[in-house]
Amino acid sequence: MLRRVLWLGWLGILGGCGLLGGGPTEPEQCEQAAPAVVPLFAPGPSETGPIVMRRPDGVIVTTASGRVRPRHEREDRFMHFEGHYFEHRSFRFTIEDHVAAGASSIKVIYEPIADPSTYGPTTNFRAWKMYGPAGNGPQSYTFADNGVLTQVAPRRLEKTVTRNARESRPIKVGDIFDFEFGIFLAGFDAADPSSIGDGAKSYYSDTFRYQVGVGGLTPETFDTTGLLGPVESARLGGGLTVPHIAFANGTPVGPEMAFSQLALNTQSPHQQLALEGRRLFHTRFDTGGHSEPYNPIFSEQAGKLGPHFNTTSCSACHVHNGRGTLPAPGSAPVESLVLKLYGDDAYGSQLQPQEAPLRLVRYETRQVTLGDGQVVTLKKPVFDAGRSLHASPRLARQLVGMGLFEAIDESTILARADEHDCDGNGISGRAQQVKDPVTGELRLGRFGWKAEKVSVRHQVADALDADLGVTTSIFPRNGAAELSDDDLQRLTVYMQLLGVLPQRNATDPKVERGAKLFASIGCAGCHVTATLTGDSHPFEELRAQKVRPFTDMLLHDMGPDLADDSGRPEASEWRTAPLWGVGFTREVSGSVHLLHDGRAGSVLEAILWHGGEAKPMRDTVVALSKDSREALIAYLESL
């Protein structure tokens, strides 16, 4: 494989060394070149080819994929995954935009991976969504064009649309062409050959929105619920951003499922691989049972748990792909937080309940008085495992957008590193360097609270081993792997392609004011508001995406109050936590537990725990007026 070796150039901007960094920086430190790291991906074509292309005749062709849905977009259960969702219930579709070539027609080609019903109803096609008045209930919409697809091959159906039926005119560049499929699969009628088997046979789909004359799917919507847009700056995940989905009264549909939707621009065959990966994510590795009802036992995976483990399935800690939670002190054992151990010969690198159950015994409290006199109580959790340990508590993290982090070029991340604060701004982010567990090469650390994993695959395999005791070819036991490489790939694809929610209320004046404060205070020095993914990831949908994850992917010294008990020099260093999705934490997880050990019960509490490099920003927030502070919090909670 062709490999590039990236070097971090000369680091120093010598004129400003050490002005705000807590002490002078030696010039030779700024002149040192960083060690070389090997890029995660080599340049080359993607697995699927371009998502949008223009043919020689001027027609714009867009490819995409989807999964079956149990109800329409604005109805209950829309976001959920019904029984047998992973069994051939995805599809590919292609949009041929002839408007871009001067005509007034769009052809949509639908290709399910299971046979459509032969004797049952023909697959429906509905286009040009028309919304009724807000407040008229979840079904206050219809489609101006409601017909059927024409089957032209066993698994190929087509529809050509020649007018904008919503406005009774020819289609023109700039229109948002929104459409959905009404899906009937083989087995809907008892006489159908090639029945799909168990589970439902009739479904709905997403409402897909296409930008006429531009190409590509968009989360743009003309919905009357008050969740219009999102505007481009609010599409935090770039092309992976999923639309706002709400009832007509503005209430989100299935808010706990907000982090469970696959990326809008997911390509085929990745959609099906991700659905099969989701099945693995929700499978118990002791019994093979699925965490959701109406799904069969995955007998192939049963009996793989242990011998030591923290939980029985991925979804047990990452409920709805969200953050972990903490129990009340003195109650049940901690379930979605683990203790990473350092220098412990008895228990290894991570404590498991079979060795010593971990409990939250109490909180240590302290109070912070804000500039307007408001008093905030901060709580630090105290854990007990029955003995003294050099340990680092790690709460389960939210999982959206991981593929985008993996797709950012090493050069983009390293360009922001300034370990010795050579630019004198008080921020000295350090790039983590980790040996690839497969090749042994030195790569950039990206994942985990301390950026100790080099790739999504590495992160997944490590969690399987450490949390579930399930071995892979990356981390075998006695040379053997329990989970196949194909299944490891399925889990990895699922993690790579979870969609990102858009920012809410991005144009609200209070939120806009908060955004300006976020920048002026200096928060964006670490929580970088925008970055661009590279062009070498194998997945086309992850390439060249302008995203807003609010992290620089670097390690920063957060001060003694946030240091763990590892006893290591880097105890107070943490990778900048991404902020996208933080405003959905309560809706997804049921409660708010932020920071590495879940100590912060709100965004404000998380800010007030900041120290070290972030202390000047923290102190500025403390001194803000009530109105300014509330605007800042409103901005963060909109993400």
Side-chain angles (χ1 to χ4, degrees):
M1 177 185 293
L2 176 64
R3 293 175 180 157
R4 295 176 298 161
V5 177
L6 288 172
W7 291 85
L8 180 63
W10 299 103
L11 291 176
I13 300 178
L14 300 181
C17 285
L19 292 180
L20 298 175
T25 300
E26 297 297 330
E28 57 268 22
Q29 290 178 308
C30 295
E31 294 172 0
Q32 292 174 356
V37 294
V38 178
L40 189 56
F41 304 111
S46 66
E47 292 181 356
T48 60
I51 297 172
V52 179
M53 62 168 291
R54 186 181 290 270
R55 296 192 322 213
D57 62 0
V59 173
I60 296 176
V61 179
T62 296
T63 61
S65 67
R67 69 172 177 95
V68 299
R69 298 280 189 170
R71 290 303 303 166
H72 289 291
E73 182 178 77
R74 298 208 298 174
E75 297 176 3
D76 193 24
R77 291 171 47 219
F78 167 76
M79 286 192 173
H80 290 262
F81 293 78
E82 300 291 291
H84 300 269
Y85 63 87
F86 43 81
E87 293 177 351
H88 311 295
R89 285 169 167 82
S90 66
F91 54 87
R92 180 180 187 267
F93 64 96
T94 304
I95 303 168
E96 294 183 357
D97 180 357
H98 294 259
V99 179
S104 178
S105 65
I106 296 175
K107 177 189 282 189
V108 178
I109 303 165
Y110 165 74
E111 297 174 286
I113 66 171
D115 289 339
S117 178
T118 302
Y119 297 103
T122 302
T123 300
N124 304 141
F125 182 80
R126 299 178 277 268
W128 306 110
K129 203 168 191 176
M130 299 178 68
Y131 296 99
N136 283 4
Q139 297 188 50
S140 60
Y141 66 87
T142 185
F143 286 90
D145 185 349
N146 197 333
V148 297
L149 292 166
T150 301
Q151 189 165 347
V152 298
R155 295 184 184 177
R156 182 184 174 102
L157 298 89
E158 298 180 354
K159 174 74 172 183
T160 297
V161 179
T162 58
R163 289 183 61 75
N164 181 333
R166 182 167 52 223
E167 300 182 27
S168 300
R169 59 167 173 77
I171 308 170
K172 65 182 181 181
V173 172
D175 283 349
I176 298 296
F177 175 51
D178 36 14
F179 61 90
E180 70 176 39
F181 302 105
I183 297 168
F184 296 91
L185 297 175
F188 183 85
D189 190 286
D192 283 340
S194 306
S195 173
I196 195 173
D198 295 330
K201 312 298 189 297
S202 63
Y203 298 95
Y204 305 86
S205 76
D206 296 68
T207 294
F208 297 104
R209 298 167 175 89
Y210 171 75
Q211 300 172 290
V212 178
V214 178
L217 299 181
T218 174
E220 183 61 67
T221 175
F222 300 109
D223 201 331
T224 55
T225 64
L227 289 176
L228 302 179
V231 297
E232 188 170 355
S233 65
R235 300 173 191 179
L236 305 183
L240 277 74
T241 307
V242 298
H244 287 305
I245 305 298
F247 284 132
N249 62 6
T251 303
V253 177
E256 74 279 2
M257 301 296 288
F259 294 162
S260 298
Q261 309 308 304
L262 294 176
L264 180 62
N265 62 354
T266 297
Q267 296 294 289
S268 181
H270 301 155
Q271 183 88 218
Q272 183 59 33
L273 287 172
L275 292 173
E276 293 168 5
R278 186 185 189 276
R279 182 192 188 186
L280 287 160
F281 188 85
H282 285 265
T283 293
R284 291 179 58 119
F285 285 92
D286 52 352
T287 66
H290 195 286
S291 67
E292 298 165 326
Y294 315 119
N295 285 298
I297 298 293
F298 203 167
S299 56
E300 180 185 336
Q301 308 302 336
K304 294 182 178 178
L305 191 68
H308 290 152
F309 54 91
N310 287 93
T311 189
T312 59
S313 69
C314 305
S315 62
C317 283
H318 300 278
V319 178
H320 298 136
N321 298 320
R323 293 174 169 85
T325 59
L326 296 179
S331 63
V334 176
E335 294 184 347
S336 52
L337 177 144
V338 299
L339 282 186
K340 296 291 184 182
L341 304 180
Y342 296 88
D344 195 294
D345 295 333
Y347 294 150
S349 61
Q350 183 167 306
L351 184 70
Q352 268 89 23
Q354 299 82 13
E355 301 167 319
L358 178 66
R359 294 184 182 275
L360 170 60
V361 294
R362 68 181 188 278
Y363 283 100
E364 295 177 351
T365 62
R366 52 183 273 198
Q367 292 185 325
V368 177
T369 302
L370 305 181
D372 63 346
Q374 178 182 340
V375 177
V376 179
T377 300
L378 301 182
K379 302 187 300 181
K380 178 182 178 181
V382 178
F383 302 101
D384 179 59
R387 59 167 291 183
S388 178
L389 296 168
H390 288 297
S392 180
R394 310 283 178 86
L395 192 72
R397 299 177 304 282
Q398 70 175 36
L399 301 177
V400 297
M402 291 178 65
L404 292 168
F405 291 139
E406 188 178 60
I408 300 172
D409 274 347
E410 286 80 1
S411 58
T412 299
I413 297 172
L414 292 173
R416 298 190 180 108
D418 186 12
E419 183 173 355
H420 304 293
D421 190 21
C422 294
D423 62 4
N425 68 352
I427 299 173
S428 50
R430 179 173 71 85
Q432 180 72 286
Q433 298 170 30
V434 181
K435 281 190 177 181
D436 188 309
V438 176
T439 67
E441 295 167 313
L442 194 65
R443 298 193 193 275
L444 190 67
R446 300 170 185 261
F447 299 100
W449 283 104
K450 291 184 180 285
E452 295 163 321
K453 312 299 184 298
V454 304
S455 66
V456 177
R457 185 180 176 90
H458 182 188
Q459 175 65 54
V460 170
D462 181 83
L464 285 166
D465 177 52
D467 300 336
L468 299 167
V470 177
T471 61
T472 63
S473 61
I474 297 180
F475 298 110
R477 186 183 303 119
N478 298 323
E482 295 168 300
L483 194 74
S484 71
D485 281 349
D486 286 343
D487 282 342
L488 177 59
Q489 177 65 2
R490 290 181 175 98
L491 265 172
T492 300
V493 173
Y494 176 58
M495 291 291 94
Q496 289 169 320
L497 293 178
L498 285 172
V500 178
L501 269 291
Q503 180 187 6
R504 294 179 286 189
N505 306 316
T507 58
D508 181 276
K510 186 174 184 179
V511 171
E512 290 181 330
R513 183 186 175 203
K516 293 177 181 177
L517 284 165
F518 185 85
S520 65
I521 291 170
C523 306
C526 299
H527 293 284
V528 176
T529 54
T531 192
L532 187 69
T533 65
D535 59 1
S536 59
H537 196 283
F539 288 9
E540 184 71 25
E541 51 265 59
L542 296 172
R543 293 184 171 195
Q545 297 297 313
K546 185 177 181 180
V547 296
R548 301 181 67 203
F550 295 86
T551 175
D552 58 6
M553 305 287 285
L554 300 172
L555 296 174
H556 292 275
D557 180 5
M558 298 300 293
D561 284 342
L562 283 180
D564 59 32
D565 295 321
S566 63
R568 298 168 66 88
E570 60 271 21
S572 60
E573 284 189 329
W574 302 97
R575 188 198 69 166
T576 303
L579 298 181
W580 54 14
V582 69
F584 279 90
T585 300
R586 188 175 301 278
E587 292 165 296
V588 173
S589 303
S591 59
V592 178
H593 294 274
L594 305 177
L595 301 178
H596 66 281
D597 56 5
R599 67 178 66 188
S602 68
V603 170
L604 177 59
E605 288 180 28
I607 294 171
L608 296 179
W609 276 110
H610 281 46
E613 298 173 39
K615 188 177 184 301
M617 298 75 175
R618 177 260 188 203
D619 291 347
T620 301
V621 172
V622 168
L624 288 175
S625 68
K626 181 179 179 181
D627 287 347
S628 294
R629 186 173 65 252
E630 289 179 348
L632 176 64
I633 299 303
Y635 170 63
L636 293 170
E637 291 183 344
S638 76
L639 300 178

Short mmCIF file of all heavy atoms in Angstrom, two decimals, residues 3 47 103 238 357 398 560 562 621:
data_model
loop_
_atom_site.label_atom_id
_atom_site.label_comp_id
_atom_site.label_asym_id
_atom_site.label_seq_id
_atom_site.Cartn_x
_atom_site.Cartn_y
_atom_site.Cartn_z
N ARG A 3 2.13 4.65 0.96
CA ARG A 3 2.06 5.35 2.24
C ARG A 3 2.73 6.70 2.12
O ARG A 3 3.82 6.82 1.58
CB ARG A 3 2.73 4.54 3.35
CG ARG A 3 1.98 3.26 3.66
CD ARG A 3 2.76 2.45 4.66
NE ARG A 3 2.06 1.22 4.96
CZ ARG A 3 2.64 0.13 5.42
NH1 ARG A 3 3.92 0.12 5.64
NH2 ARG A 3 1.95 -0.95 5.66
N GLU A 47 -14.64 3.61 -2.53
CA GLU A 47 -15.23 2.30 -2.80
C GLU A 47 -16.41 2.37 -3.75
O GLU A 47 -16.67 1.43 -4.50
CB GLU A 47 -15.69 1.66 -1.48
CG GLU A 47 -14.58 1.28 -0.54
CD GLU A 47 -15.09 0.64 0.73
OE1 GLU A 47 -16.32 0.55 0.92
OE2 GLU A 47 -14.25 0.21 1.54
N ALA A 103 -34.26 20.25 -19.68
CA ALA A 103 -35.59 19.66 -19.77
C ALA A 103 -36.37 19.95 -18.49
O ALA A 103 -35.91 20.68 -17.61
CB ALA A 103 -35.48 18.16 -20.01
N GLY A 238 -22.22 18.27 7.79
CA GLY A 238 -22.09 18.35 6.35
C GLY A 238 -23.14 17.47 5.67
O GLY A 238 -24.31 17.51 6.01
N PRO A 357 -16.79 -4.97 41.97
CA PRO A 357 -17.88 -4.10 41.52
C PRO A 357 -17.57 -2.63 41.83
O PRO A 357 -17.08 -2.30 42.91
CB PRO A 357 -19.09 -4.59 42.34
CG PRO A 357 -18.73 -5.99 42.73
CD PRO A 357 -17.24 -6.00 42.92
N GLN A 398 -21.06 9.73 23.44
CA GLN A 398 -22.00 9.67 22.32
C GLN A 398 -21.22 9.26 21.07
O GLN A 398 -20.01 9.48 20.96
CB GLN A 398 -22.69 11.01 22.11
CG GLN A 398 -21.78 12.11 21.55
CD GLN A 398 -22.52 13.39 21.23
OE1 GLN A 398 -23.45 13.75 21.93
NE2 GLN A 398 -22.12 14.08 20.18
N PRO A 560 -5.79 20.76 37.44
CA PRO A 560 -5.81 19.71 38.47
C PRO A 560 -7.21 19.25 38.85
O PRO A 560 -7.40 18.10 39.26
CB PRO A 560 -5.08 20.36 39.65
CG PRO A 560 -5.18 21.83 39.42
CD PRO A 560 -5.16 22.00 37.93
N LEU A 562 -9.66 18.55 37.01
CA LEU A 562 -10.14 17.53 36.08
C LEU A 562 -9.14 16.40 35.89
O LEU A 562 -9.33 15.54 35.02
CB LEU A 562 -10.49 18.16 34.73
CG LEU A 562 -11.81 18.93 34.66
CD1 LEU A 562 -12.04 19.50 33.28
CD2 LEU A 562 -12.98 18.05 35.08
N VAL A 621 -16.51 33.47 31.53
CA VAL A 621 -17.90 33.03 31.62
C VAL A 621 -18.45 33.34 33.01
O VAL A 621 -19.59 33.80 33.16
CB VAL A 621 -18.04 31.54 31.29
CG1 VAL A 621 -19.46 31.04 31.57
CG2 VAL A 621 -17.66 31.28 29.84
#
